DNA sequence: GGAATTAAATATGTCGACAATTAAAGCAGA
DNA sequence: TCTGCTTTAATTGTCGACATATTTAATTCC
């Protein structure tokens, strides 16, 4: 249905292409967080009209990468740790529900794919959402509205945090074990357990970040 | 922070005003669900340029009231009962979390206001979100991202369903009791209980709708 | 008479220019 | 030198027109 077409490849319109480029640049920090989005400047850089550029900026606002003020302009969002913690609360709620639904909805085939995904979790680029454990479960829940919120409204923002604050290290092997437990619950068709484990999993990631904040503030 | 400025009152720009008018017209069904959004026609009706109109349409897409296809145009979303049930799943997850956070974050003052809200729940216009129990709790959670998703991305869509499918009847008094229990949990600062009760409350609403579907299909 | 193809008409995407608003520069006074 | 106002410059919002894609209508062929 929807879900992630930021890449410039399948862009059919000029605004699509500009959106993809700007989205990438913002997520990777090439356009600094908090910096102003100058319409004349970017229109010249991309060699497009301001109309197309404004269309792209509108979509950036829709996926929470920039914020606009009337008659003033758009700025790239600031990344604060408080905001990141807020996002983790939302993820805990939404992905927990997704796991519950996935336990009921995922086919045996999808579960097999999820398992193979888990096995070579280190091999692939962890930034590629198509090979991502969480993404597969969200899709497996078969709730388009839920998937839309996570994969369109929050995805790019989460990617931006991962790029600029760095991937939370030290939890990789622990997280992998937790993924395994979630998969077991899905195979058992135990929605309640799947939700519980997914929520605990995301909550631990959030607490891991909170600890890092405290340590750096000591 | 953000949250609901659909009304045309505080519109500072032409696109703001058009967005507000279109949003209202779509929510109330004056522009039929599934119908096409003709840019030339609406530009003439509102006496604005197509640029401003397209800006407004873009925002309608952002709050899920219309869907666009490149080179084809925008259509008002179709209201399906499956979609409505999907929304209830999302609400269960998000508002459950909001209730948990509200139990920790709401001030005594806010709790008092919530209580007075509950007492005269019938007196005010139930469509006015400012006097809405759920809205108060979402705001009380003090999580801007969570509030944004519910109050900007889903609010207008939920309002559209309520207008066009009619308010779910027969559950008013039961729902009011459930609200009371939630308030008690908030006063006890029992986040776990508040979340549990809120989720059960929303789940019951969903099941109420599912029953109505079955009955009408018999 | 119906299906496929072609041509006209309409709608969307894109552009450059003007108007209105905001931010910046310059100036006056203390 | 700093504060406050005025003037200037730049940016955003809005408009009308053109280019391109799609839908509708007409035509041709079977």
């Amino acid at each position: 249905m929807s879900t992630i077409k930021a890449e410039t490849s399948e862009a059919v319109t000029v605004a699509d292409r500009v959106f993809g480029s700007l989205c990438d640049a913002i997520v990777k920090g090439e356009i600094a967080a908090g910096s102003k989005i100058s319409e004349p400047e970017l229109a010249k850089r991309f060699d497009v009209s301001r109309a197309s550029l404004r269309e792209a900026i509108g979509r950036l606002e829709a996926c929470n990468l920039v914020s606009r003020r009337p008659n003033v302009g758009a700025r790239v969002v600031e990344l604060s740790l408080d905001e990141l913690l807020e996002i983790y609360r939302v993820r805990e709620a939404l992905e927990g529900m997704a796991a519950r639904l996935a336990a009921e909805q995922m086919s045996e085939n999808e579960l097999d794919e999820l398992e193979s995904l888990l096995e070579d979790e280190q091999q692939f680029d962890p930034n590629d959402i198509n090979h991502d454990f969480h993404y597969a479960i969200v899709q497996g829940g078969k709730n388009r509205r839920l998937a839309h919120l996570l994969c369109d409204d929050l995805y790019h923002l989460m990617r931006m945090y991962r790029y600029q604050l760095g991937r939370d290290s030290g939890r990789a092997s622990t997280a992998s074990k937790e993924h395994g437990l979630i998969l077991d619950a899905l195979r058992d068709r135990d929605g309640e357990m799947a939700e519980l484990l997914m929520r605990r999993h995301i909550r631990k990631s959030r607490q891991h970040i909170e600890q890092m904040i405290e340590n750096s503030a000591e």
Side-chain angles (χ1 to χ4, degrees), chain A residues 89-107 110-111 114 132-151 154 158 182-183 185-187 189-202:
Chain A
R89 298 277 192 186
V90 173
R91 283 189 58 194
E92 182 184 333
L94 288 180
E95 294 196 34
M97 175 61 77
R100 176 183 288 264
L101 297 176
E104 306 165 2
Q105 300 292 333
M106 284 182 84
S107 68
E110 289 175 312
L111 287 172
L114 187 64
D132 189 81
F133 183 80
H134 290 262
Y135 178 77
I137 290 181
V138 169
Q139 295 301 322
K142 306 284 193 305
N143 184 315
R144 288 161 299 175
R145 182 66 49 188
L146 180 52
H148 173 72
L149 289 178
L150 280 168
C151 298
L154 287 179
M158 300 190 298
I182 293 171
L183 176 61
L186 294 179
R187 282 219 183 275
R189 302 298 179 183
D190 188 342
E192 190 178 345
M193 179 62 72
E195 172 165 20
L196 188 148
L197 291 172
M198 177 62 87
R199 288 187 63 157
R200 180 185 291 181
H201 171 58
I202 295 174

Side-chain angles (χ1 to χ4, degrees), chain A residues 13 32 45 57 98 152 159 187 194 215:
Chain A
T13 188
R45 190 200 297 184
I57 292 176
D152 292 334
R159 215 158 58 103
R187 282 219 183 275
N215 288 346

Side-chain angles (χ1 to χ4, degrees), chain A residues 64-109:
Chain A
N64 300 299
L65 290 181
V66 309
S67 65
R68 298 176 84 172
R69 283 196 330 190
N71 290 315
V72 174
R75 303 192 80 89
V76 179
V77 294
E78 299 268 8
L79 297 184
S80 79
L81 287 171
D82 281 343
E83 270 264 2
L84 180 59
L85 297 176
E86 285 190 355
I87 292 175
Y88 268 89
R89 298 277 192 186
V90 173
R91 283 189 58 194
E92 182 184 333
L94 288 180
E95 294 196 34
M97 175 61 77
R100 176 183 288 264
L101 297 176
E104 306 165 2
Q105 300 292 333
M106 284 182 84
S107 68
E108 295 296 326
N109 243 330

